Amino acid sequence: MKAPTEIIFEVTEAAEGGFDARALGYSIFTQGEDWADLKTMVKDAVLCHFGDEGAPKVVRLHFVKDEAIAV
């Protein structure tokens, strides 16, 4: 199987603070206390999942905020 050139993570705010990140199409999940920590944790999780040789060149973090407002 050919390694992907790009992988996308859906990032949401964690209920207890910080951020949760879930890779789309892969079984990769990680968390970070702040944005900088999350980026470090995502990179580590991707390298752990794919290995140094098979890791994608680009990782995108797509931040999703679900908010309801009264009209």
Side-chain angles (χ1 to χ4, degrees):
M1 182 176 174
K2 187 178 177 193
T5 57
E6 179 178 288
I7 187 170
I8 300 171
F9 278 80
E10 180 181 86
V11 179
T12 56
E13 292 177 317
E16 61 280 350
F19 298 97
D20 294 331
R22 179 181 55 88
L24 303 180
Y26 298 92
S27 297
I28 308 172
F29 178 83
T30 192
Q31 300 173 304
E33 292 182 19
D34 55 36
W35 195 256
D37 184 42
L38 180 70
K39 290 193 302 185
T40 300
M41 298 301 285
V42 164
K43 184 176 179 179
D44 184 55
V46 168
L47 290 175
C48 184
H49 184 83
F50 289 102
D52 291 335
E53 300 298 319
K57 301 290 184 217
V58 176
V59 175
R60 294 192 185 275
L61 301 178
H62 179 71
F63 182 66
V64 178
K65 184 168 181 149
D66 185 23
E67 186 172 345
I69 59 172
V71 179

